[in-house]
Amino acid sequence: MDLHKPIVLFGNGDIPTHHIVHKKLQQAKSLICVDGGADNAISLGLKPDIILGDLDSIYNEKNDYNCEMIHLKDQSKNDLEKTIEWCINQNISEINLIGFSGLRDDHYIATLEIIKQYIQKIKITMYTNTSVIYCVNQHVEIQSIPGQKFSIISFLPKTKITTSGLKYSLNASKLESPSHGISNIALKNSIEIQTDNWVFVFKNHMP
């Protein structure tokens, strides 16, 4: 399979509406659709390069899609998890997820858990109609706009976090409650986060 970066995995969740998400789709060199995400992609005028999954959620006949389709059979895992494993086996090092939020809260939470599960094997960035979501460890610098809202959610209460460029700074600090890291505000054109364990960073789109 000849796939080129940047690679987007496109799901069967909310249809992208925000211009940042549309731009990321336009920049994609390879579009991997996860099962019914193929129909969402086609509704936006996009052509899947490949479709993976159980193939039980696509609307049309398989021959109508005019691309390679791979049936991933493991029923103990959902289509996204199986597709990420397929990407890892193809030695793909980085993917962007679009269309994996909304519609069902259980699927959204499972998606975040899947990102955490595989983040050490493949770089994953998730784009929704409200934010860009990163799962990071150690040091990361993220481009920002002054006034932009950021939220940090840790997996472990003992995680120590240091930030730079945010209104409410942390200095090797632990989050005192699950909501402690919510709705911080960027002061500069980039922020920096240093952490000693994995955290989720939500970069909220500007209005």
Side-chain angles (χ1 to χ4, degrees):
M1 173 59 59
D2 190 17
L3 297 173
H4 302 281
K5 294 182 179 180
I7 296 172
V8 166
L9 267 60
F10 198 90
N12 197 23
D14 277 346
I15 297 289
T17 57
H18 197 279
H19 67 88
I20 287 177
V21 188
H22 278 284
K23 182 177 180 180
K24 187 58 60 174
L25 279 171
Q26 292 167 3
Q27 293 172 340
K29 298 296 184 182
S30 298
L31 185 63
I32 300 175
C33 289
V34 180
D35 211 327
D39 296 298
N40 282 356
I42 291 170
S43 74
L44 294 174
L46 303 171
K47 183 185 181 303
D49 291 299
I50 184 172
I51 303 171
L52 296 96
D54 291 338
L55 307 180
D56 59 355
S57 298
I58 54 176
Y59 295 143
N60 300 311
E61 296 296 326
K62 294 179 180 180
N63 292 336
D64 295 336
Y65 291 92
N66 194 30
C67 69
E68 183 174 0
M69 307 179 79
I70 298 178
H71 186 197
L72 303 176
K73 299 179 180 180
D74 189 348
Q75 293 301 310
S76 68
K77 300 174 182 178
N78 72 10
D79 286 332
L80 173 60
E81 187 170 2
K82 290 184 287 189
T83 299
I84 290 176
E85 289 184 344
W86 181 89
C87 289
I88 293 169
N89 291 333
Q90 299 298 311
N91 295 316
I92 294 171
S93 61
E94 181 176 354
I95 53 176
N96 297 311
L97 304 188
I98 295 176
F100 291 95
S101 62
L103 300 185
R104 284 184 57 174
D105 294 336
D106 51 347
H107 282 182
Y108 187 21
I109 293 172
T111 294
L112 297 178
E113 290 288 345
I114 289 168
I115 291 172
K116 172 60 171 58
Q117 177 72 25
Y118 291 96
I119 193 65
Q120 296 186 67
K121 297 181 179 179
I122 185 171
K123 182 178 180 181
I124 304 172
T125 306
M126 182 171 173
Y127 292 80
T128 77
N129 287 324
T130 56
S131 63
V132 184
I133 304 170
Y134 310 88
C135 188
V136 302
N137 191 6
Q138 299 181 345
H139 176 266
V140 64
E141 181 176 357
I142 301 174
Q143 297 301 305
S144 59
I145 300 171
Q148 191 166 24
K149 290 183 179 179
F150 280 80
S151 293
I152 302 172
I153 297 177
S154 68
F155 300 98
L156 299 172
K158 295 182 179 180
T159 300
K160 294 181 179 179
I161 304 168
T162 298
T163 63
S164 173
L166 290 171
K167 181 177 181 179
Y168 306 105
S169 60
L170 298 169
N171 185 12
S173 304
K174 304 172 186 176
L175 296 179
E176 297 177 359
S177 72
S179 61
H180 182 192
I182 301 296
S183 295
N184 213 328
I185 300 172
L187 301 177
K188 302 178 180 180
N189 291 324
S190 67
I191 69 161
E192 295 184 49
I193 298 172
Q194 175 77 36
T195 173
D196 65 359
N197 210 314
W198 292 99
V199 299
F200 274 121
V201 179
F202 293 76
K203 173 183 174 180
N204 290 278
H205 301 322
M206 294 292 284

